């Protein structure tokens, strides 16, 4: 069924609406839910508003990707865009993507700097650790938690976290050479 190109473009500009216009209701619902969650989370932690922009861009280009697959006669499944486990998340990411890990660490450090250094230092100098300092600490706590979580996620993605090396990993175990006994 041929759809109107102008309506397709208009709906593609609204997260999830383009997918729903082409009959992908679960996929569209997932995208609009993610978009709204990032907007709401951005009211608490300003840095999370960036996630809504990412969801918007993904939704826009996903609409045209769905059209391409429909035109080729290979429609995609209409499924929720939620990874089920950490293994599913790792499968979506490239095997050796260090750039994302370093980006998460940099973004987390920037969030921590923004709340700890720039805001609190100014507050501490103006209020001399009075009531305003305690209020700003409590108000900035969500930013601190998000910053720390971003740094830890980046460290985990890069594989820089300390791991026990008592037993070798599956990749470290090599099979014996032919004719060699263990």
């Amino acid at each position: 069924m041929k759809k109107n190109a102008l309506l397709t473009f208009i709906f593609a500009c609204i997260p999830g609406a383009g997918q729903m216009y082409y009959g992908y209701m679960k996929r569209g619902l997932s995208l609009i839910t993610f978009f709204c969650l990032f907007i709401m989370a951005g009211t608490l932690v300003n840095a999370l508003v960036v996630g809504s922009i990412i969801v918007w861009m993904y939704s826009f280009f996903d609409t045209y990707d769905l059209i391409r697959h429909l035109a080729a006669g290979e429609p995609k499944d209409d499924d929720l865009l939620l990874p089920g486990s950490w293994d599913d998340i790792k499968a979506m990411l490239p095997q050796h993507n260090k750039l994302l890990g370093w980006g998460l660490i940099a973004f987390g450090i920037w969030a921590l700097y923004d709340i700890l250094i720039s805001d609190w230092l100014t507050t501490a100098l103006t209020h001399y650790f009075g009531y305003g300092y305690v209020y700003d600490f409590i108000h900035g706590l969500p930013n601190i938690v998000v910053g720390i979580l971003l740094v830890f996620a980046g460290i985990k993605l890069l594989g820089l976290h300390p791991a026990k090396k008592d037993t070798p990993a599956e990749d470290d175990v090599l099979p014996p050479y032919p004719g060699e006994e263990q």
Side-chain angles (χ1 to χ4, degrees):
M1 171 195 252
K2 182 87 169 133
K3 300 281 186 170
N4 186 334
L6 178 63
L7 285 177
T8 298
F9 176 76
I10 291 170
F11 286 134
C13 291
I14 303 167
Q19 287 76 8
M20 290 182 181
Y21 182 63
Y22 278 89
Y24 290 88
M25 296 300 173
K26 291 179 186 174
R27 192 178 196 100
L29 182 64
S30 294
L31 288 168
I32 192 67
T33 302
F34 284 141
F35 183 76
C36 290
L37 286 175
F38 274 114
I39 293 290
M40 290 186 322
T43 61
L44 297 174
V45 180
N46 296 337
L48 291 179
V49 173
V50 173
S52 64
I53 296 168
I54 293 169
V55 171
W56 178 82
M57 288 189 312
Y58 177 82
S59 176
F60 182 83
F61 291 110
D62 185 54
T63 300
Y64 286 100
D65 186 54
L66 290 174
I67 295 170
R68 184 176 60 84
H69 280 278
L70 286 171
E74 302 169 352
K76 287 186 172 184
D77 293 333
D78 184 21
D79 52 354
L80 295 174
L81 298 176
L82 296 172
S85 67
W86 178 248
D87 292 332
D88 293 342
I89 294 171
K90 286 191 338 189
M92 290 186 329
L93 298 174
Q95 187 82 16
H96 301 287
N97 194 350
K98 303 292 184 192
L99 183 62
L100 182 60
W102 285 113
L104 286 174
I105 290 172
F107 195 61
I109 289 172
W110 172 75
L112 290 172
Y113 165 79
D114 187 43
I115 191 66
L116 291 175
I117 305 300
S118 67
D119 288 347
W120 285 359
L121 187 59
T122 305
T123 304
L125 292 175
T126 57
H127 295 288
Y128 298 105
F129 300 100
Y131 171 74
Y133 184 74
V134 174
Y135 174 77
D136 285 342
F137 175 77
I138 292 169
H139 181 71
L141 205 54
N143 284 351
I144 294 170
V145 170
V146 168
I148 290 170
L149 289 175
L150 287 173
V151 170
F152 280 134
I155 288 171
K156 183 160 178 70
L157 204 63
L158 289 172
L160 299 176
H161 61 287
K164 292 183 180 179
K165 285 293 186 178
D166 297 341
T167 59
E170 283 184 30
D171 296 341
D172 295 339
V173 177
L174 297 174
Y177 287 108
E180 185 179 318
E181 295 181 22
Q182 282 189 348

